[in-house]
Amino acid sequence: MGGVAAGTRWIHHVRRLSAAKVSADALERGQSRVIDASLTLIRERAKLKAELLRALGGVKASACLLGVPLGHNSSFLQGPAFAPPRIREAIWCGSTNSSTEEGKELNDPRVLTDVGDVPIQEIRDCGVEDDRLMNVVSESVKTVMEEDPLRPLVLGGDHSISYPVVRAVSEKLGGPVDILHLDAHPDIYDAFEGNIYSHASSFARIMEGGYARRLLQVGIRSITKEGREQGKRFGVEQYEMRTFSKDREKLESLKLGEGVKGVYISVDVDCLDPAFAPGVSHIEPGGLSFRDVLNILHNLQGDVVAADVVEFNPQRDTVDGMTAMVAAKLVRELTAKISK
């Protein structure tokens, strides 16, 4: 947590300095330069990768990794900020081959590319607040989407990142998407603990913005009265684990995205029972098995235009990195759904 804590201390120092000596305009100009530099690096990497893919030919869609190492909107632990590099390490660690279960080769750049991370902590280190930070995340996603045939596969980070990512996808495509959301929690509080950007409020922001036509939430087993009321308010289809055996057949034959701009998949690693994924901030027994999740993903019919994998917390993982491998496998199988 050293980097996160140091960044927080620096933010407080910047605020004091700003109040005492630095004009708001000077601070804003400096922040803008850092943001522009951050977006430029992502833009140029995306442009290069896309140019190479177009030169290779035969690619309609390539999954493109984009890390968003943000953890400060978590209501409990901030470890998800450290997840993107751990997931990448697990993807390429060599303990398994590079094929997905459906036979796609991750070593083929036409299947999977990577443009690096949004430098969240470095931007926050400059005193940038969440309103602007969320815009940076959205602009980063749009930057990837501007480069055909890249489609964003985002590595969180806590679940607050899904709001700016889905917003960007919907705005870039020009309309709402259908969302398949796998999670132990509905993350639909109006403003959890007063924070509109809380990881527990991301889907309230998404639904308020009209960025989703349908929102299906699967794996739910920690839900409050407000969670159910918000679900009814927004017309969310909530599938709780207590009825999973009854719902299984339907969930393993989903058809989404017709009449809208495509399908977005958001996988919170804690949708899984902690026996399969102990490295999460909110351990909630009674969840999905890993094969349950894969059956849902593999059988889903629809054009997957983007996805995220969030809430893996390396600081709570086993010493052998079990949850990192689980998160990596989720990324691999989502890559297969996106690329074509």
Side-chain angles (χ1 to χ4, degrees):
M1 293 298 296
V4 175
T8 303
R9 288 195 297 271
W10 179 249
I11 289 167
H12 293 321
H13 178 69
V14 166
R15 288 172 181 161
R16 289 194 299 270
L17 191 64
S18 176
K21 301 177 181 179
V22 180
S23 72
D25 286 346
L27 183 60
E28 197 278 335
R29 286 195 300 272
Q31 292 171 341
S32 294
R33 289 194 298 271
V34 172
I35 290 170
D36 289 345
S38 302
L39 290 172
T40 296
L41 180 58
I42 292 170
R43 181 180 301 111
E44 293 304 319
R45 291 191 70 179
K47 188 175 295 184
L48 173 61
K49 300 294 178 73
E51 286 173 350
L52 292 173
L53 291 179
R54 290 193 294 268
L56 284 171
V59 192
K60 291 184 178 180
S62 173
C64 180
L65 298 183
L66 174 68
V68 183
L70 186 156
H72 65 274
N73 282 320
S74 173
S75 60
F76 183 39
L77 302 173
Q78 297 188 13
F82 301 103
R86 299 287 77 80
I87 296 173
R88 287 190 180 92
E89 181 182 21
I91 291 171
W92 303 113
C93 71
S95 74
T96 184
N97 61 52
S98 62
S99 295
T100 70
E101 289 197 2
E102 296 179 344
K104 293 188 178 181
E105 290 290 336
L106 270 67
N107 284 326
D108 186 340
R110 293 169 295 186
V111 174
L112 180 65
T113 56
D114 192 340
V115 295
D117 292 351
V118 181
I120 295 294
Q121 298 308 324
E122 291 80 357
I123 294 171
R124 292 189 73 228
D125 186 53
C126 299
V128 174
E129 301 285 358
D130 262 6
D131 285 347
R132 199 172 182 194
L133 186 64
M134 292 298 171
N135 289 337
V136 173
V137 174
S138 290
E139 287 304 310
S140 299
V141 172
K142 289 180 180 179
T143 294
V144 171
M145 295 180 69
E146 284 170 3
E147 297 297 335
D148 185 62
L150 304 184
R151 293 188 177 185
L153 176 44
V154 179
L155 309 178
D158 68 43
H159 221 150
S160 68
I161 71 164
S162 292
Y163 164 56
V165 175
V166 171
R167 178 178 65 181
V169 170
S170 175
E171 289 178 348
K172 192 66 180 172
L173 295 178
V177 293
D178 285 345
I179 300 178
L180 174 60
H181 169 206
L182 295 100
D183 201 327
H185 318 86
D187 292 349
I188 204 165
Y189 285 97
D190 181 58
F192 190 70
E193 297 180 338
N195 179 10
I196 63 170
Y197 295 123
S198 169
H199 70 157
S201 299
S202 50
F203 287 91
R205 302 290 81 79
I206 288 168
M207 299 308 287
E208 284 174 350
Y211 302 121
R213 178 187 63 176
R214 294 178 67 187
L215 171 58
L216 286 73
Q217 299 186 317
V218 180
I220 305 298
R221 57 195 186 276
S222 179
I223 183 170
T224 64
K225 180 181 178 182
E226 182 180 350
R228 291 193 173 92
E229 289 175 347
Q230 285 280 87
K232 290 178 181 177
R233 173 190 173 195
F234 293 118
V236 179
E237 300 163 58
Q238 294 177 331
Y239 295 92
E240 298 186 38
M241 283 306 299
R242 60 192 176 89
T243 60
F244 181 71
S245 59
K246 175 174 67 71
D247 298 328
R248 179 191 295 273
E249 184 176 352
K250 179 179 180 179
L251 294 173
E252 291 183 354
S253 58
L254 292 172
K255 189 172 185 179
L256 301 174
E258 289 187 343
V260 289
K261 298 298 180 178
V263 181
Y264 185 95
I265 301 175
S266 181
V267 183
D268 184 321
V269 177
D270 73 22
C271 72
L272 293 159
D273 189 272
F276 299 93
V280 296
S281 298
H282 299 270
I283 293 172
E284 195 66 45
L288 296 161
S289 74
F290 194 81
R291 186 51 57 183
D292 290 335
V293 172
L294 289 193
N295 286 343
I296 292 169
L297 295 179
H298 287 165
N299 293 321
L300 170 66
Q301 297 180 57
D303 182 21
V304 180
V305 294
D308 66 54
V309 175
V310 297
E311 295 287 355
F312 162 47
N313 184 345
Q315 295 181 327
R316 301 196 88 181
D317 203 2
T318 58
V319 292
D320 58 356
M322 172 181 170
T323 314
M325 294 301 295
V326 167
K329 175 92 171 184
L330 290 168
V331 170
R332 293 158 69 95
E333 298 306 311
L334 286 169
T335 295
K337 293 298 293 186
I338 293 172
S339 62
K340 55 186 176 181

